[in-house]
Amino acid sequence: RMSRHAKKLRDHDINPCLAETDATTKCMDDNNYKKDMCTDYFLKYKNCRTFWHGIMMQRKRNGVKPEMPSAEERKKILESVG
């Protein structure tokens, strides 16, 4: 049984970097947990977190709720930035 925190992390509307998280985990599993083999995955994850954190902070400053856009909204944001 998953904790409430673990469930949140698996929720596409809450965690914008779920695909990057899963890809990083898979890379680590596939490469016997040698971090240097998964550098690209860590970088993609970090870039994802940085990007969405910036969006979240901007929405917070502008009083937009929820601060993290839904999965559907995020898709539109990503399409608009190319």
Side-chain angles (χ1 to χ4, degrees), residues 2 8 12 26 28-29 43 48 64 69 71 73 79:
M2 276 199 288
K8 267 186 172 176
H12 279 283
K26 183 181 182 327
M28 289 291 281
D29 289 344
L43 192 61
C48 178
V64 178
E73 256 185 292
E79 285 167 2

Side-chain angles (χ1 to χ4, degrees), residues 6-60:
K7 272 196 188 109
K8 267 186 172 176
L9 293 178
R10 300 299 312 160
D11 184 334
H12 279 283
D13 280 328
I14 295 169
N15 182 356
C17 301
L18 198 52
E20 290 79 1
T21 303
D22 290 347
T24 303
T25 303
K26 183 181 182 327
C27 180
M28 289 291 281
D29 289 344
D30 292 350
N31 290 288
N32 207 17
Y33 293 85
K34 292 189 181 107
K35 278 188 174 176
D36 56 328
M37 301 289 285
C38 301
T39 309
D40 288 349
Y41 292 95
F42 285 114
L43 192 61
K44 283 179 188 160
Y45 173 78
K46 186 177 176 215
N47 290 340
C48 178
R49 296 295 305 171
T50 302
F51 178 79
W52 290 113
H53 181 74
I55 298 278
M56 212 168 79
M57 296 315 288
Q58 181 134 29
R59 287 169 65 104
K60 192 175 191 170

